[in-house]
Amino acid sequence: MSFSILGIGTAHPPDYLTPDDGLAVARVLAGPDVRTSTWLGPVYSGSNIQRRYQVLGGDLVRDLVAGTSTSGSPFLPSPEREGVGPTTAQRMKTYLQEAGVLAFQASQKALQEAHVSVERITHLVTVSCTGFAAPGVDYFLITRLGLPPTVQRTHVGFMGCHGALNGLRVAHAFAAAEPTSCVLLCAVELCSLHYYYGNAADKLIANAIFADGAAAVVGQSQPAAQRGPSPRLVASGSTLIPDSKNDMAWTVGDHGFEMTLSRRVPSLIAKQLRGWLEGWLHDQGLTLSEIGSWAIHPGGPKILSAVQEGLELSDADLAGSRRVLANFGNMSSPTLLFIIDQLRREKAPLPYVALGFGPGLVAEIALFR
């Protein structure tokens, strides 16, 4: 049994950074030995990102660039926070204030497009790795949207950039187990809350690509009556790439969640992905050449190039992923839903394959027909 997508909604904060804005902020917060470096500029100019939306924008960015403190933000540098930034508790306080608002905006849009009333929602799946609170985003959505108090809640946490695929797998399972169910899935991430203030090169690169956003999906086991065709999730899979445990990691530190992203990740993907993917597609009765459209999580330009090289894809195959990266940055888990939404609106040819990569190093896949 498949999971039919009835509606998708996306949302992002109002403020954004350009590469020049991001570099200016990095020069302030990266530490004295990096502020005048020659290598930091190309990191931002070569990111292929035109804008990244962040809840930490506006007044805070203006303060950082001008050396003022009008915003009063705990994210401003101070002698006691030199090189580390705010505590994890301070970052989580902002998460609690902001994450639910974005999740609500995306979910409301998805419900409206699906023409589904809140009373119809039987299951709520939330996805996030950038913050935790109890009661959290799920409680916020139930109360703000007016979902039934009997809605069944499941949270997918700390799965990283492929988290939305894990969430879709859960939604698919619910729909298969209970054919009368209707599922609301919402992924929300505030990556900017974990901005790194030190001088480690891999973490500074992460500072240049991550962004904030939310995306929601409404779906059920059967297509909506008297509606046009919609993508149906029919299968999903996963593989752990050997000897990669330390190449991508996401740990809770005293001053935010700490991202580790080694330089080996693109080459590992390029070498290991194709063999597994061809075998998985064969089990679905497909070959690489029969895939109509691709949604590749844009962990960065090198990740996309590695997938393109490893699978011998065309520039057109990666165009949607690169467009989302350019316009929104890497929002972690919601990003793939942004790309799937774009493919759907453009009536891109089916079947779709969605691919994401996360801590482990793990590759996750979803097939839509």
Side-chain angles (χ1 to χ4, degrees):
M1 187 173 290
S2 61
F3 178 71
S4 293
I5 293 177
L6 307 182
I8 298 179
T10 61
H12 55 72
D15 295 325
Y16 65 87
L17 295 183
T18 65
D20 288 344
D21 295 331
L23 179 59
V25 169
R27 295 288 192 202
V28 174
L29 299 178
D33 55 340
V34 179
R35 285 173 188 153
T36 58
S37 69
T38 58
W39 66 267
L40 194 57
V43 167
Y44 283 84
S45 61
S47 68
N48 296 341
I49 298 172
Q50 297 171 8
R51 60 177 63 186
R52 296 178 292 147
Y53 293 88
Q54 296 188 174
V55 295
L56 299 178
D59 292 341
L60 171 60
V61 172
R62 285 187 284 272
D63 274 346
L64 289 171
V65 174
T68 55
S69 56
T70 304
S71 66
S73 171
F75 288 82
L76 289 170
S78 67
E80 64 271 18
R81 294 194 293 265
E82 181 67 30
V84 294
T87 65
T88 299
Q90 289 171 313
R91 297 173 195 246
M92 291 300 93
K93 182 178 179 181
T94 304
Y95 178 88
L96 186 59
Q97 294 168 341
E98 302 286 351
V101 176
L102 279 184
F104 169 77
Q105 292 170 358
S107 297
Q108 191 176 49
K109 290 177 183 177
L111 287 163
Q112 289 172 347
E113 188 193 62
H115 301 289
V116 168
S117 67
V118 292
E119 292 81 10
R120 277 274 293 115
I121 300 299
T122 58
H123 296 75
L124 172 63
V125 181
T126 51
V127 180
S128 191
C129 69
T130 51
F132 296 97
V137 170
D138 53 354
Y139 180 85
F140 188 96
L141 289 176
I142 291 170
T143 55
R144 181 65 73 87
L145 289 170
L147 298 178
T150 54
V151 69
Q152 299 177 52
R153 297 176 293 163
T154 302
H155 182 68
V156 177
F158 234 53
M159 298 299 286
C161 291
H162 60 57
L165 297 183
N166 304 96
L168 283 167
R169 181 179 299 134
V170 172
H172 187 188
F174 286 147
E178 301 179 44
T180 59
S181 64
C182 188
V183 185
L184 170 62
L185 160 71
C186 185
V188 58
E189 304 289 6
L190 305 184
C191 302
S192 67
L193 301 188
H194 302 289
Y195 192 95
Y196 171 72
Y197 283 61
N199 57 14
D202 63 329
K203 293 179 175 62
L204 288 170
I205 291 172
N207 282 351
I209 62 174
F210 281 101
D212 303 344
V217 170
V218 174
Q220 60 187 24
S221 61
Q222 300 297 328
Q226 298 177 344
R227 295 278 302 279
S230 59
R232 298 176 297 113
L233 173 62
V234 296
S236 61
S238 179
T239 189
L240 178 65
I241 294 176
D243 303 317
S244 63
K245 176 183 176 182
N246 298 319
D247 290 290
M248 186 181 289
W250 189 231
T251 57
V252 178
D254 292 335
H255 295 274
F257 299 171
E258 299 172 3
M259 180 74 183
T260 299
L261 188 64
S262 86
R263 296 179 180 179
R264 294 197 329 142
V265 170
S267 62
L268 285 169
I269 291 172
K271 292 175 183 177
Q272 301 287 343
L273 183 61
R274 183 171 187 138
W276 164 71
L277 181 57
E278 286 182 323
W280 188 86
L281 286 174
H282 179 267
D283 291 341
Q284 313 306 319
L286 292 166
T287 64
L288 278 173
S289 63
E290 292 175 306
I291 302 305
S293 304
W294 294 84
I296 311 299
H297 179 81
K302 290 185 178 180
I303 299 290
L304 290 177
S305 295
V307 173
Q308 183 172 12
E309 173 191 343
L311 302 183
E312 298 181 355
L313 301 179
S314 68
D315 288 343
D317 291 328
L318 275 292
S321 297
R322 289 199 167 103
R323 194 177 310 127
V324 169
L325 179 65
N327 293 331
F328 300 99
N330 179 355
M331 298 167 284
S332 191
S333 65
T335 313
L336 275 173
L337 298 179
F338 273 69
I339 300 169
I340 292 169
D341 184 41
Q342 180 177 267
L343 294 177
R344 187 180 61 113
R345 293 182 184 282
E346 293 173 353
K347 295 181 171 55
L350 289 163
Y352 306 159
V353 161
L355 276 170
F357 308 94
L361 174 68
V362 172
E364 295 278 350
I365 189 171
L367 174 65
F368 298 85
R369 288 186 181 271

